[in-house]
Amino acid sequence: MQHFPIFLNVSGQRIIVAGGGDAAQAKLRLLMKTEAEIRVYAPDAAAEIHRWAADGQLTLINRPVAATDLPGAALFYGATEDAAEDARGAALARAAGVLVNIVDNLRDSDFITPAIVDRDPVVVAIGTEGAAPVLARAIKTDLEARLPVQLGLLAKIGKAFRHAADILPMGRKRRDFWADYYFTDGPAALETDRVDTALSTLLDRHVMAAAKTGHVALVGAGPGDPDLLTLKARRALDTADVVIHDRLVAPEILELARREAVLIDAGKEGFGTSTAQDDINDMMVAHAVQGHQVVRLKAGDPTVFGRLDEEIDALDAAGIAWSIVPGITAASAAVAQIGQSLTSRGRNSSVRYITGHDTKGFAEHDWRALATPGAVAAIYMGKRTARFIQGRLLMHGADPMTPVTVIENASRPNSRVIATTLSQLEPTLTRAALGGPAITFYGLAPRDAVALAPAHPIKEALL
Ligand code: SAH
């Protein structure tokens, strides 16, 4: 080990950065997280650095660093991106006994700045002695994804609680308590502002090893591509005792559930369509009252055509704690796939999310508004109602040539895009015989074939 890792107390210490360009900015972003007094010497600093100076985050001196600037400083960063100038600054710093780092110059540096995962006071520093920056980045990305953003706050609160937790026997029992705190109960409590009570409740639970409190997370599974899951959704799956999922949720996503979790397909045959929702509500409540962590996994975003309110009402009625984890809705995934934007200056300043049918059958909408030129709508559950929608829009004066694009299985490898017009929507759609979920964009055409090609091959483009 050529470089020995230490955590240096820089609170109130002076750190000097020579340079005002990209390299300096990158270092300053890190340094500004510390409690150090930062001085930047640069005759031509970037506007961003001027802003930081105006905000009081650092002091900017508009000239090159000079010998008298260095005595008493803790660290010196040569970040002028000019080798001769950095060498001059480094020599001045060394003469004043200040440790030197020259950006991207391991050989002439006394210390190196590691890649950092910051969950202050929990800080992870990753170094490879300059050997493999790519590896350091990969490890950092991995840790960023694994450590909840609020871990720092949880650690601060947890530290004050350490003493109380000592009543649990050392070893497994105490470890389980802290694991629950950091990865399950703590993050959930932060969202509801009840960390103080949550810690005591959690401790009681572990002390008695009984009366566990259940919780239901109503989680968005996104459109199908597991990479489009949020980190929060992944963590919820990671800790779930029970996962109750829709039929539309992709198998690759269910794979991510904790190995011991019970998976329940809430879309499976056997539930009559009229009672299915009640059955789902009952299942959620039944598992949560047993103290289970339940994930109610819904396609896309749970707040979009997801019957979320009915589920929340049932949980509230049973006094069960719940939280919502948003997801990427099908419209967002589908519009990205055709290289378009849901809203566009000068074209449409609003977009409607509409459903083809509701509990009463075909859903009525403000057809007159939708028929105006430039209107854009994302139509969910619109396959079987395409002819109805087409008829209504044409009847209200919509231009028959209005572009309509149907995206089946958005974000999935077997996705298909069908570009057509309002007048041709039917019979084009019926002829395409789509088997998967599909979203219909009224008023949007794919930007162009190029935008579609690289990530998502179009198997069909009918016009
Ligand atoms: N909550 C979901 C929508 C549920 S309604 C969301 O936010 O996406 C079910 C409808 O969503 C389907 O009929 C279909 O119109 C649409 N849908 C869901 N996943 C889709 C996907 N991968 N591709 C295209 N449409 C999808």
Side-chain angles (χ1 to χ4, degrees):
M1 198 190 298
Q2 195 187 349
H3 293 81
F4 180 63
I6 55 165
F7 286 91
L8 188 68
N9 182 356
V10 291
S11 180
Q13 300 271 4
R14 191 147 34 92
I15 296 182
I16 292 186
V17 176
D22 291 346
Q25 283 180 61
K27 283 288 176 288
L28 285 168
R29 280 196 188 91
L30 285 180
L31 293 172
M32 286 186 313
K33 292 168 182 269
T34 70
E35 294 170 19
E37 180 210 330
I38 302 164
R39 293 212 184 160
V40 180
Y41 291 85
D44 49 1
E48 187 78 17
I49 298 180
H50 279 278
R51 267 196 296 279
W52 290 333
D55 282 354
Q57 301 200 65
L58 49 80
T59 307
L60 174 60
I61 299 102
N62 295 302
R63 59 166 172 79
V65 69
T68 48
D69 302 326
L70 288 147
L75 300 174
F76 170 84
Y77 279 92
T80 63
E81 298 168 64
D82 169 338
E85 176 58 14
D86 279 343
R88 185 187 71 83
L92 295 177
R94 288 208 175 90
V98 181
L99 285 174
V100 168
N101 173 274
I102 298 177
V103 174
D104 289 336
N105 182 345
L106 185 65
R107 210 193 48 198
D108 297 329
S109 294
D110 302 325
F111 69 95
I112 48 183
T113 317
I116 291 171
V117 180
D118 177 16
R119 301 287 186 273
D120 183 49
V122 179
V123 177
V124 185
I126 305 151
T128 62
E129 309 236 19
V134 175
L135 191 58
R137 269 221 72 82
I139 297 170
K140 176 178 156 67
T141 308
D142 192 32
L143 289 173
E144 291 282 7
R146 279 188 14 210
L147 302 179
V149 176
Q150 319 93 324
L151 193 66
L153 182 53
L154 289 173
K156 278 186 199 143
I157 300 169
K159 194 171 170 190
F161 202 76
R162 282 213 89 80
H163 199 61
D166 286 350
I167 60 164
L168 286 169
M170 268 227 298
R172 177 80 199 267
K173 276 207 163 258
R174 211 180 282 179
R175 275 203 313 275
D176 283 352
F177 164 78
W178 286 113
D180 277 0
Y181 168 65
Y182 281 113
F183 297 105
T184 316
D185 293 58
L190 276 183
E191 279 178 20
T192 52
D193 274 346
R194 291 182 317 206
V195 188
D196 43 348
T197 50
L199 261 171
S200 321
T201 316
L202 182 66
L203 188 57
D204 287 349
R205 201 167 89 203
H206 279 260
V207 170
M208 321 241 213
K212 285 211 282 175
T213 51
H215 176 269
V216 177
L218 302 143
V219 177
D225 178 351
D227 281 353
L228 292 179
L229 267 182
T230 64
L231 297 177
K232 247 188 196 164
R234 282 193 97 112
R235 274 200 290 274
L237 284 170
D238 233 22
T239 50
D241 299 311
V242 179
V243 178
I244 304 173
H245 64 90
D246 285 348
R247 199 175 329 169
L248 271 183
V249 174
E252 299 89 310
I253 287 173
L254 296 174
E255 285 284 309
L256 300 170
R258 201 162 68 98
R259 201 171 287 277
E260 300 79 23
V262 177
L263 296 187
I264 301 172
D265 179 352
K268 74 176 173 220
E269 264 125 27
F271 292 109
T273 41
S274 55
T275 55
Q277 190 59 52
D278 284 343
D279 285 347
I280 293 170
N281 296 350
D282 290 350
M283 261 191 293
M284 288 191 305
V285 171
H287 284 288
V289 293
Q290 291 174 46
H292 291 149
Q293 301 300 310
V294 180
V295 165
R296 171 71 181 110
L297 194 60
K298 293 160 151 315
D301 183 285
T303 73
V304 179
F305 302 129
R307 304 189 68 174
L308 187 67
D309 295 301
E310 294 161 63
E311 298 188 358
I312 289 175
D313 287 348
L315 294 172
D316 277 343
I320 291 178
W322 52 267
S323 59
I324 302 175
V325 178
I328 293 182
T329 190
S332 299
V335 82
Q337 201 175 318
I338 60 168
Q340 275 290 11
S341 177
L342 281 173
T343 60
S344 183
R345 256 187 196 219
R347 184 189 66 204
N348 64 312
S349 56
S350 70
V351 58
R352 289 177 171 77
Y353 287 14
I354 68 176
T355 170
H357 60 80
D358 57 23
T359 46
K360 295 185 207 76
F362 290 165
E364 290 292 355
H365 298 283
D366 183 354
W367 303 113
R368 193 182 301 277
L370 279 167
T372 54
V376 171
I379 306 169
Y380 287 72
M381 294 169 277
K383 273 194 303 190
R384 271 178 294 162
T385 48
R387 194 173 288 286
F388 168 76
I389 291 171
Q390 180 185 36
R392 279 288 196 275
L393 285 167
L394 290 172
M395 195 170 84
H396 284 81
D399 181 349
M401 292 309 289
T402 307
V404 174
T405 309
V406 182
I407 298 103
E408 181 196 25
N409 288 318
S411 87
R412 302 178 187 197
N414 56 346
S415 184
R416 279 202 292 176
V417 175
I418 295 159
T420 181
T421 59
L422 181 59
S423 66
Q424 294 303 306
L425 174 58
E426 283 299 3
T428 306
L429 199 54
T430 302
R431 248 191 253 135
L434 304 181
I439 194 129
T440 303
F441 282 121
Y442 165 75
L444 285 183
R447 185 175 299 272
D448 54 38
V450 179
L452 295 165
H456 301 282
I458 335 167
K459 293 202 184 129
E460 208 160 331
L462 313 170
L463 211 83

